[in-house]
Structures are given as C-alpha cells and as structure tokens.
mmCIF file of all heavy atoms in Angstrom:
data_model
loop_
_atom_site.group_PDB
_atom_site.id
_atom_site.type_symbol
_atom_site.label_atom_id
_atom_site.label_comp_id
_atom_site.label_asym_id
_atom_site.label_seq_id
_atom_site.Cartn_x
_atom_site.Cartn_y
_atom_site.Cartn_z
ATOM 1 N N GLY A 13 0.815 -1.215 0.000
ATOM 2 C CA GLY A 13 0.000 0.000 0.000
ATOM 3 C C GLY A 13 0.843 1.257 0.000
ATOM 4 O O GLY A 13 0.533 2.237 -0.697
ATOM 5 N N VAL A 14 1.937 1.247 0.761
ATOM 6 C CA VAL A 14 2.844 2.389 0.787
ATOM 7 C C VAL A 14 3.529 2.556 -0.568
ATOM 8 O O VAL A 14 3.640 3.675 -1.085
ATOM 9 C CB VAL A 14 3.887 2.234 1.919
ATOM 10 C CG1 VAL A 14 4.935 3.332 1.840
ATOM 11 C CG2 VAL A 14 3.203 2.254 3.287
ATOM 12 N N SER A 15 3.975 1.455 -1.168
ATOM 13 C CA SER A 15 4.644 1.528 -2.475
ATOM 14 C C SER A 15 3.702 2.078 -3.543
ATOM 15 O O SER A 15 4.116 2.859 -4.411
ATOM 16 C CB SER A 15 5.162 0.148 -2.886
ATOM 17 O OG SER A 15 6.167 -0.299 -2.005
ATOM 18 N N GLN A 16 2.442 1.689 -3.486
ATOM 19 C CA GLN A 16 1.467 2.198 -4.456
ATOM 20 C C GLN A 16 1.249 3.696 -4.276
ATOM 21 O O GLN A 16 1.074 4.432 -5.262
ATOM 22 C CB GLN A 16 0.157 1.425 -4.335
ATOM 23 C CG GLN A 16 0.277 -0.011 -4.823
ATOM 24 C CD GLN A 16 -0.934 -0.862 -4.498
ATOM 25 O OE1 GLN A 16 -1.736 -0.526 -3.610
ATOM 26 N NE2 GLN A 16 -1.100 -1.972 -5.198
ATOM 27 N N THR A 17 1.277 4.163 -3.029
ATOM 28 C CA THR A 17 1.181 5.602 -2.767
ATOM 29 C C THR A 17 2.395 6.326 -3.338
ATOM 30 O O THR A 17 2.269 7.415 -3.920
ATOM 31 C CB THR A 17 1.063 5.872 -1.261
ATOM 32 O OG1 THR A 17 -0.039 5.140 -0.722
ATOM 33 C CG2 THR A 17 0.859 7.355 -0.981
ATOM 34 N N ILE A 18 3.563 5.744 -3.179
ATOM 35 C CA ILE A 18 4.786 6.330 -3.736
ATOM 36 C C ILE A 18 4.653 6.506 -5.251
ATOM 37 O O ILE A 18 4.997 7.556 -5.804
ATOM 38 C CB ILE A 18 6.005 5.441 -3.415
ATOM 39 C CG1 ILE A 18 6.291 5.434 -1.907
ATOM 40 C CG2 ILE A 18 7.251 5.915 -4.174
ATOM 41 C CD1 ILE A 18 7.263 4.347 -1.479
ATOM 42 N N LEU A 19 4.149 5.494 -5.928
ATOM 43 C CA LEU A 19 3.987 5.575 -7.381
ATOM 44 C C LEU A 19 3.056 6.725 -7.771
ATOM 45 O O LEU A 19 3.308 7.450 -8.738
ATOM 46 C CB LEU A 19 3.457 4.253 -7.929
ATOM 47 C CG LEU A 19 4.407 3.052 -7.878
ATOM 48 C CD1 LEU A 19 3.682 1.780 -8.286
ATOM 49 C CD2 LEU A 19 5.610 3.271 -8.770
ATOM 50 N N ARG A 20 1.971 6.876 -7.009
ATOM 51 C CA ARG A 20 1.014 7.938 -7.323
ATOM 52 C C ARG A 20 1.604 9.332 -7.105
ATOM 53 O O ARG A 20 1.230 10.282 -7.785
ATOM 54 C CB ARG A 20 -0.247 7.788 -6.470
ATOM 55 C CG ARG A 20 -1.131 6.611 -6.832
ATOM 56 C CD ARG A 20 -2.500 6.743 -6.201
ATOM 57 N NE ARG A 20 -2.444 6.780 -4.739
ATOM 58 C CZ ARG A 20 -2.484 5.708 -3.962
ATOM 59 N NH1 ARG A 20 -2.570 4.495 -4.505
ATOM 60 N NH2 ARG A 20 -2.449 5.822 -2.652
ATOM 61 N N GLN A 21 2.520 9.447 -6.150
ATOM 62 C CA GLN A 21 3.032 10.758 -5.750
ATOM 63 C C GLN A 21 4.387 11.078 -6.384
ATOM 64 O O GLN A 21 5.072 11.979 -5.929
ATOM 65 C CB GLN A 21 3.147 10.828 -4.224
ATOM 66 C CG GLN A 21 1.832 10.632 -3.476
ATOM 67 C CD GLN A 21 0.762 11.633 -3.891
ATOM 68 O OE1 GLN A 21 -0.276 11.263 -4.412
ATOM 69 N NE2 GLN A 21 1.033 12.907 -3.670
ATOM 70 N N SER A 22 4.756 10.372 -7.434
ATOM 71 C CA SER A 22 6.053 10.573 -8.081
ATOM 72 C C SER A 22 5.859 10.903 -9.555
ATOM 73 O O SER A 22 5.033 10.290 -10.233
ATOM 74 C CB SER A 22 6.917 9.320 -7.946
ATOM 75 O OG SER A 22 7.065 8.958 -6.591
ATOM 76 N N ARG A 23 6.634 11.871 -10.029
ATOM 77 C CA ARG A 23 6.550 12.238 -11.441
ATOM 78 C C ARG A 23 7.212 11.189 -12.336
ATOM 79 O O ARG A 23 6.837 11.020 -13.489
ATOM 80 C CB ARG A 23 7.216 13.597 -11.656
ATOM 81 C CG ARG A 23 6.491 14.742 -10.961
ATOM 82 C CD ARG A 23 7.136 16.081 -11.283
ATOM 83 N NE ARG A 23 6.380 17.175 -10.677
ATOM 84 C CZ ARG A 23 6.610 17.649 -9.448
ATOM 85 N NH1 ARG A 23 7.594 17.134 -8.721
ATOM 86 N NH2 ARG A 23 5.889 18.631 -8.963
ATOM 87 N N LYS A 24 8.181 10.492 -11.793
ATOM 88 C CA LYS A 24 8.929 9.489 -12.548
ATOM 89 C C LYS A 24 9.352 8.393 -11.589
ATOM 90 O O LYS A 24 9.620 8.666 -10.405
ATOM 91 C CB LYS A 24 10.157 10.145 -13.184
ATOM 92 C CG LYS A 24 10.837 9.353 -14.282
ATOM 93 C CD LYS A 24 11.921 10.208 -14.942
ATOM 94 C CE LYS A 24 12.542 9.497 -16.127
ATOM 95 N NZ LYS A 24 13.575 10.340 -16.783
ATOM 96 N N THR A 25 9.409 7.144 -12.061
ATOM 97 C CA THR A 25 9.708 6.024 -11.169
ATOM 98 C C THR A 25 10.741 5.095 -11.768
ATOM 99 O O THR A 25 10.645 4.710 -12.939
ATOM 100 C CB THR A 25 8.434 5.201 -10.852
ATOM 101 O OG1 THR A 25 7.411 6.069 -10.407
ATOM 102 C CG2 THR A 25 8.715 4.184 -9.772
ATOM 103 N N PHE A 26 11.745 4.739 -10.958
ATOM 104 C CA PHE A 26 12.754 3.740 -11.313
ATOM 105 C C PHE A 26 12.534 2.501 -10.450
ATOM 106 O O PHE A 26 12.238 2.608 -9.261
ATOM 107 C CB PHE A 26 14.169 4.258 -11.042
ATOM 108 C CG PHE A 26 14.651 5.345 -11.944
ATOM 109 C CD1 PHE A 26 15.876 5.969 -11.685
ATOM 110 C CD2 PHE A 26 13.927 5.768 -13.054
ATOM 111 C CE1 PHE A 26 16.355 6.975 -12.509
ATOM 112 C CE2 PHE A 26 14.393 6.780 -13.889
ATOM 113 C CZ PHE A 26 15.611 7.385 -13.606
ATOM 114 N N LEU A 27 12.746 1.329 -11.043
ATOM 115 C CA LEU A 27 12.755 0.059 -10.311
ATOM 116 C C LEU A 27 14.171 -0.486 -10.292
ATOM 117 O O LEU A 27 14.838 -0.521 -11.329
ATOM 118 C CB LEU A 27 11.828 -0.961 -10.981
ATOM 119 C CG LEU A 27 11.896 -2.395 -10.422
ATOM 120 C CD1 LEU A 27 11.331 -2.464 -9.006
ATOM 121 C CD2 LEU A 27 11.164 -3.377 -11.347
ATOM 122 N N VAL A 28 14.635 -0.909 -9.122
ATOM 123 C CA VAL A 28 15.924 -1.600 -9.003
ATOM 124 C C VAL A 28 15.653 -3.010 -8.467
ATOM 125 O O VAL A 28 15.068 -3.186 -7.410
ATOM 126 C CB VAL A 28 16.906 -0.834 -8.078
ATOM 127 C CG1 VAL A 28 17.432 0.397 -8.778
ATOM 128 C CG2 VAL A 28 16.269 -0.435 -6.747
ATOM 129 N N ALA A 29 16.076 -4.021 -9.229
ATOM 130 C CA ALA A 29 15.835 -5.412 -8.834
ATOM 131 C C ALA A 29 16.825 -6.319 -9.535
ATOM 132 O O ALA A 29 16.942 -6.267 -10.767
ATOM 133 C CB ALA A 29 14.403 -5.843 -9.177
ATOM 134 N N ASP A 30 17.551 -7.142 -8.771
ATOM 135 C CA ASP A 30 18.503 -8.059 -9.400
ATOM 136 C C ASP A 30 17.777 -9.283 -9.937
ATOM 137 O O ASP A 30 16.598 -9.513 -9.653
ATOM 138 C CB ASP A 30 19.611 -8.451 -8.408
ATOM 139 C CG ASP A 30 19.111 -9.296 -7.279
ATOM 140 O OD1 ASP A 30 18.929 -10.513 -7.477
ATOM 141 O OD2 ASP A 30 18.882 -8.760 -6.173
ATOM 142 N N SER A 31 18.491 -10.078 -10.723
ATOM 143 C CA SER A 31 17.868 -11.179 -11.459
ATOM 144 C C SER A 31 17.362 -12.307 -10.576
ATOM 145 O O SER A 31 16.592 -13.154 -11.050
ATOM 146 C CB SER A 31 18.848 -11.733 -12.504
ATOM 147 O OG SER A 31 20.068 -12.122 -11.899
ATOM 148 N N SER A 32 17.765 -12.355 -9.302
ATOM 149 C CA SER A 32 17.200 -13.391 -8.418
ATOM 150 C C SER A 32 15.694 -13.191 -8.257
ATOM 151 O O SER A 32 14.962 -14.144 -7.961
ATOM 152 C CB SER A 32 17.888 -13.367 -7.047
ATOM 153 O OG SER A 32 17.546 -12.203 -6.306
ATOM 154 N N LYS A 33 15.210 -11.947 -8.459
ATOM 155 C CA LYS A 33 13.767 -11.675 -8.336
ATOM 156 C C LYS A 33 12.981 -12.289 -9.480
ATOM 157 O O LYS A 33 11.766 -12.458 -9.380
ATOM 158 C CB LYS A 33 13.528 -10.158 -8.295
ATOM 159 C CG LYS A 33 14.354 -9.409 -7.252
ATOM 160 C CD LYS A 33 14.015 -9.819 -5.841
ATOM 161 C CE LYS A 33 14.899 -9.126 -4.821
ATOM 162 N NZ LYS A 33 14.705 -7.683 -4.741
ATOM 163 N N PHE A 34 13.674 -12.641 -10.597
ATOM 164 C CA PHE A 34 12.982 -13.218 -11.750
ATOM 165 C C PHE A 34 12.489 -14.635 -11.462
ATOM 166 O O PHE A 34 11.573 -15.124 -12.132
ATOM 167 C CB PHE A 34 13.906 -13.283 -12.973
ATOM 168 C CG PHE A 34 14.475 -11.968 -13.428
ATOM 169 C CD1 PHE A 34 15.430 -11.945 -14.434
ATOM 170 C CD2 PHE A 34 14.078 -10.766 -12.874
ATOM 171 C CE1 PHE A 34 15.976 -10.748 -14.875
ATOM 172 C CE2 PHE A 34 14.611 -9.555 -13.302
ATOM 173 C CZ PHE A 34 15.567 -9.558 -14.310
ATOM 174 N N THR A 35 13.132 -15.314 -10.498
ATOM 175 C CA THR A 35 12.788 -16.710 -10.222
ATOM 176 C C THR A 35 12.014 -16.863 -8.923
ATOM 177 O O THR A 35 11.792 -17.980 -8.463
ATOM 178 C CB THR A 35 14.068 -17.562 -10.145
ATOM 179 O OG1 THR A 35 14.954 -17.011 -9.165
ATOM 180 C CG2 THR A 35 14.773 -17.599 -11.494
ATOM 181 N N ARG A 36 11.614 -15.752 -8.335
ATOM 182 C CA ARG A 36 10.851 -15.807 -7.090
ATOM 183 C C ARG A 36 9.416 -15.374 -7.352
ATOM 184 O O ARG A 36 9.093 -14.806 -8.393
ATOM 185 C CB ARG A 36 11.467 -14.881 -6.035
ATOM 186 C CG ARG A 36 12.911 -15.210 -5.697
ATOM 187 C CD ARG A 36 13.393 -14.348 -4.556
ATOM 188 N NE ARG A 36 12.684 -14.655 -3.328
ATOM 189 C CZ ARG A 36 12.589 -13.825 -2.298
ATOM 190 N NH1 ARG A 36 13.129 -12.621 -2.365
ATOM 191 N NH2 ARG A 36 11.943 -14.189 -1.212
ATOM 192 N N THR A 37 8.546 -15.639 -6.375
ATOM 193 C CA THR A 37 7.184 -15.148 -6.460
ATOM 194 C C THR A 37 6.761 -14.675 -5.082
ATOM 195 O O THR A 37 7.380 -15.006 -4.075
ATOM 196 C CB THR A 37 6.230 -16.233 -6.987
ATOM 197 O OG1 THR A 37 4.949 -15.651 -7.233
ATOM 198 C CG2 THR A 37 6.087 -17.371 -5.991
ATOM 199 N N ALA A 38 5.727 -13.860 -5.051
ATOM 200 C CA ALA A 38 5.177 -13.331 -3.810
ATOM 201 C C ALA A 38 3.692 -13.072 -4.052
ATOM 202 O O ALA A 38 3.262 -12.924 -5.203
ATOM 203 C CB ALA A 38 5.910 -12.051 -3.405
ATOM 204 N N PRO A 39 2.883 -12.995 -2.999
ATOM 205 C CA PRO A 39 1.431 -12.998 -3.198
ATOM 206 C C PRO A 39 0.778 -11.653 -3.487
ATOM 207 O O PRO A 39 -0.356 -11.619 -3.974
ATOM 208 C CB PRO A 39 0.912 -13.553 -1.864
ATOM 209 C CG PRO A 39 1.932 -13.124 -0.863
ATOM 210 C CD PRO A 39 3.248 -13.180 -1.581
ATOM 211 N N ALA A 40 1.439 -10.532 -3.179
ATOM 212 C CA ALA A 40 0.775 -9.233 -3.271
ATOM 213 C C ALA A 40 1.338 -8.417 -4.435
ATOM 214 O O ALA A 40 2.548 -8.291 -4.593
ATOM 215 C CB ALA A 40 0.944 -8.461 -1.967
ATOM 216 N N ARG A 41 0.456 -7.843 -5.232
ATOM 217 C CA ARG A 41 0.849 -7.085 -6.425
ATOM 218 C C ARG A 41 1.023 -5.608 -6.090
ATOM 219 O O ARG A 41 0.120 -4.980 -5.517
ATOM 220 C CB ARG A 41 -0.196 -7.248 -7.526
ATOM 221 C CG ARG A 41 0.137 -6.529 -8.827
ATOM 222 C CD ARG A 41 -0.996 -6.711 -9.831
ATOM 223 N NE ARG A 41 -0.686 -6.089 -11.127
ATOM 224 C CZ ARG A 41 -0.895 -4.812 -11.416
ATOM 225 N NH1 ARG A 41 -1.416 -4.006 -10.496
ATOM 226 N NH2 ARG A 41 -0.598 -4.329 -12.603
ATOM 227 N N ILE A 42 2.169 -5.047 -6.474
ATOM 228 C CA ILE A 42 2.418 -3.615 -6.298
ATOM 229 C C ILE A 42 1.919 -2.851 -7.515
ATOM 230 O O ILE A 42 1.121 -1.914 -7.417
ATOM 231 C CB ILE A 42 3.922 -3.336 -6.112
ATOM 232 C CG1 ILE A 42 4.495 -4.084 -4.914
ATOM 233 C CG2 ILE A 42 4.170 -1.835 -5.973
ATOM 234 C CD1 ILE A 42 6.016 -4.052 -4.839
ATOM 235 N N ALA A 43 2.398 -3.237 -8.685
ATOM 236 C CA ALA A 43 2.113 -2.513 -9.928
ATOM 237 C C ALA A 43 2.648 -3.337 -11.085
ATOM 238 O O ALA A 43 3.157 -4.453 -10.895
ATOM 239 C CB ALA A 43 2.782 -1.133 -9.901
ATOM 240 N N SER A 44 2.559 -2.783 -12.272
ATOM 241 C CA SER A 44 3.129 -3.400 -13.473
ATOM 242 C C SER A 44 4.359 -2.624 -13.902
ATOM 243 O O SER A 44 4.474 -1.416 -13.647
ATOM 244 C CB SER A 44 2.101 -3.402 -14.596
ATOM 245 O OG SER A 44 2.705 -3.725 -15.837
ATOM 246 N N LEU A 45 5.263 -3.301 -14.583
ATOM 247 C CA LEU A 45 6.392 -2.605 -15.200
ATOM 248 C C LEU A 45 5.920 -1.536 -16.187
ATOM 249 O O LEU A 45 6.668 -0.606 -16.494
ATOM 250 C CB LEU A 45 7.298 -3.603 -15.923
ATOM 251 C CG LEU A 45 8.414 -4.263 -15.095
ATOM 252 C CD1 LEU A 45 9.111 -5.336 -15.926
ATOM 253 C CD2 LEU A 45 9.418 -3.232 -14.610
ATOM 254 N N ALA A 46 4.687 -1.656 -16.655
ATOM 255 C CA ALA A 46 4.133 -0.638 -17.548
ATOM 256 C C ALA A 46 4.057 0.719 -16.862
ATOM 257 O O ALA A 46 4.032 1.763 -17.527
ATOM 258 C CB ALA A 46 2.746 -1.053 -18.028
ATOM 259 N N GLU A 47 4.022 0.724 -15.517
ATOM 260 C CA GLU A 47 3.940 1.970 -14.754
ATOM 261 C C GLU A 47 5.314 2.497 -14.349
ATOM 262 O O GLU A 47 5.411 3.535 -13.690
ATOM 263 C CB GLU A 47 3.087 1.752 -13.505
ATOM 264 C CG GLU A 47 1.675 1.284 -13.804
ATOM 265 C CD GLU A 47 0.941 0.819 -12.558
ATOM 266 O OE1 GLU A 47 0.809 1.629 -11.619
ATOM 267 O OE2 GLU A 47 0.518 -0.356 -12.515
ATOM 268 N N ILE A 48 6.373 1.790 -14.745
ATOM 269 C CA ILE A 48 7.746 2.150 -14.382
ATOM 270 C C ILE A 48 8.439 2.803 -15.573
ATOM 271 O O ILE A 48 8.323 2.334 -16.709
ATOM 272 C CB ILE A 48 8.522 0.883 -13.945
ATOM 273 C CG1 ILE A 48 7.830 0.212 -12.752
ATOM 274 C CG2 ILE A 48 9.966 1.236 -13.611
ATOM 275 C CD1 ILE A 48 7.749 1.047 -11.500
ATOM 276 N N ASP A 49 9.152 3.882 -15.327
ATOM 277 C CA ASP A 49 9.854 4.559 -16.419
ATOM 278 C C ASP A 49 11.152 3.859 -16.791
ATOM 279 O O ASP A 49 11.470 3.723 -17.980
ATOM 280 C CB ASP A 49 10.142 6.005 -16.017
ATOM 281 C CG ASP A 49 8.866 6.813 -15.876
ATOM 282 O OD1 ASP A 49 8.250 7.121 -16.905
ATOM 283 O OD2 ASP A 49 8.471 7.106 -14.731
ATOM 284 N N SER A 50 11.933 3.419 -15.780
ATOM 285 C CA SER A 50 13.211 2.748 -16.056
ATOM 286 C C SER A 50 13.403 1.602 -15.071
ATOM 287 O O SER A 50 13.112 1.746 -13.879
ATOM 288 C CB SER A 50 14.380 3.727 -15.941
ATOM 289 O OG SER A 50 14.298 4.741 -16.920
ATOM 290 N N PHE A 51 13.921 0.503 -15.578
ATOM 291 C CA PHE A 51 14.149 -0.700 -14.785
ATOM 292 C C PHE A 51 15.633 -1.025 -14.839
ATOM 293 O O PHE A 51 16.193 -1.230 -15.913
ATOM 294 C CB PHE A 51 13.304 -1.848 -15.350
ATOM 295 C CG PHE A 51 13.551 -3.198 -14.724
ATOM 296 C CD1 PHE A 51 14.031 -3.334 -13.428
ATOM 297 C CD2 PHE A 51 13.282 -4.355 -15.438
ATOM 298 C CE1 PHE A 51 14.254 -4.583 -12.864
ATOM 299 C CE2 PHE A 51 13.492 -5.610 -14.887
ATOM 300 C CZ PHE A 51 13.988 -5.715 -13.592
ATOM 301 N N PHE A 52 16.273 -1.073 -13.661
ATOM 302 C CA PHE A 52 17.704 -1.361 -13.549
ATOM 303 C C PHE A 52 17.887 -2.756 -12.970
ATOM 304 O O PHE A 52 17.396 -3.053 -11.858
ATOM 305 C CB PHE A 52 18.378 -0.320 -12.656
ATOM 306 C CG PHE A 52 18.304 1.077 -13.196
ATOM 307 C CD1 PHE A 52 17.178 1.861 -12.970
ATOM 308 C CD2 PHE A 52 19.339 1.605 -13.957
ATOM 309 C CE1 PHE A 52 17.092 3.150 -13.482
ATOM 310 C CE2 PHE A 52 19.260 2.891 -14.478
ATOM 311 C CZ PHE A 52 18.126 3.662 -14.241
ATOM 312 N N THR A 53 18.592 -3.613 -13.695
ATOM 313 C CA THR A 53 18.802 -4.992 -13.253
ATOM 314 C C THR A 53 20.196 -5.443 -13.681
ATOM 315 O O THR A 53 20.998 -4.653 -14.196
ATOM 316 C CB THR A 53 17.692 -5.904 -13.792
ATOM 317 O OG1 THR A 53 17.812 -7.207 -13.201
ATOM 318 C CG2 THR A 53 17.726 -6.001 -15.313
ATOM 319 N N ASP A 54 20.483 -6.736 -13.473
ATOM 320 C CA ASP A 54 21.842 -7.226 -13.744
ATOM 321 C C ASP A 54 21.879 -8.337 -14.778
ATOM 322 O O ASP A 54 22.930 -8.941 -14.991
ATOM 323 C CB ASP A 54 22.493 -7.716 -12.439
ATOM 324 C CG ASP A 54 21.744 -8.873 -11.808
ATOM 325 O OD1 ASP A 54 20.514 -8.989 -12.022
ATOM 326 O OD2 ASP A 54 22.358 -9.671 -11.070
ATOM 327 N N ALA A 55 20.771 -8.631 -15.426
ATOM 328 C CA ALA A 55 20.742 -9.685 -16.445
ATOM 329 C C ALA A 55 19.682 -9.342 -17.476
ATOM 330 O O ALA A 55 18.654 -8.740 -17.140
ATOM 331 C CB ALA A 55 20.440 -11.045 -15.809
ATOM 332 N N PRO A 56 19.896 -9.703 -18.740
ATOM 333 C CA PRO A 56 18.891 -9.416 -19.769
ATOM 334 C C PRO A 56 17.559 -10.092 -19.447
ATOM 335 O O PRO A 56 17.523 -11.203 -18.903
ATOM 336 C CB PRO A 56 19.515 -9.998 -21.043
ATOM 337 C CG PRO A 56 20.985 -10.080 -20.757
ATOM 338 C CD PRO A 56 21.100 -10.364 -19.289
ATOM 339 N N LEU A 57 16.476 -9.422 -19.779
ATOM 340 C CA LEU A 57 15.156 -10.008 -19.614
ATOM 341 C C LEU A 57 14.914 -11.023 -20.725
ATOM 342 O O LEU A 57 15.503 -10.932 -21.802
ATOM 343 C CB LEU A 57 14.079 -8.922 -19.676
ATOM 344 C CG LEU A 57 14.229 -7.720 -18.747
ATOM 345 C CD1 LEU A 57 13.020 -6.802 -18.892
ATOM 346 C CD2 LEU A 57 14.406 -8.156 -17.309
ATOM 347 N N ASP A 58 14.044 -11.989 -20.447
ATOM 348 C CA ASP A 58 13.710 -12.907 -21.525
ATOM 349 C C ASP A 58 12.930 -12.142 -22.601
ATOM 350 O O ASP A 58 12.396 -11.050 -22.364
ATOM 351 C CB ASP A 58 12.942 -14.129 -21.011
ATOM 352 C CG ASP A 58 11.590 -13.791 -20.389
ATOM 353 O OD1 ASP A 58 10.994 -12.764 -20.753
ATOM 354 O OD2 ASP A 58 11.127 -14.560 -19.537
ATOM 355 N N LYS A 59 12.873 -12.707 -23.793
ATOM 356 C CA LYS A 59 12.342 -11.971 -24.937
ATOM 357 C C LYS A 59 10.898 -11.506 -24.755
ATOM 358 O O LYS A 59 10.581 -10.350 -25.091
ATOM 359 C CB LYS A 59 12.486 -12.816 -26.210
ATOM 360 C CG LYS A 59 13.926 -12.930 -26.687
ATOM 361 C CD LYS A 59 14.021 -13.692 -27.987
ATOM 362 C CE LYS A 59 15.472 -13.768 -28.475
ATOM 363 N NZ LYS A 59 15.582 -14.532 -29.745
#
C-alpha cells in the first residue's frame, strides 16, 4: 500500500531489482512494469 502511494506521488519512477527476483514469487501485487519509467537490473530479460 505504501509503495502504491509512492507511485502515485512521483513524477517518474525507477525500479531496481537483481535477477534473483525473476525466479521468485510473492502474493501481493504492487504494480506493473508498464507503470515504471526505467528498470535497472543485472541480467537481460527474456524476450
């Protein structure tokens, strides 16, 4: 809920997440990458 408020109150948003997050899951949805301006990671995304 706090993260969603942050997204609403920001003119621009960056996501930082390493590739270990690609193989994990969690139950609560924050947002979509469609709502993120730039995504910083350490491995190429799958196609």
Side-chain angles (χ1 to χ4, degrees):
V14 173
S15 295
Q16 290 170 341
T17 305
I18 293 167
L19 291 173
R20 289 195 299 271
Q21 300 303 117
S22 304
R23 294 184 176 90
K24 195 173 185 179
T25 309
F26 290 174
L27 172 68
V28 286
D30 68 80
S31 55
S32 70
K33 308 296 177 66
F34 302 173
T35 56
R36 301 186 66 201
T37 188
R41 182 182 183 275
I42 302 169
S44 168
L45 272 174
E47 301 169 58
I48 301 298
D49 294 288
S50 296
F51 174 26
F52 297 84
T53 188
D54 62 333
L57 307 184
D58 63 26
K59 288 184 179 179

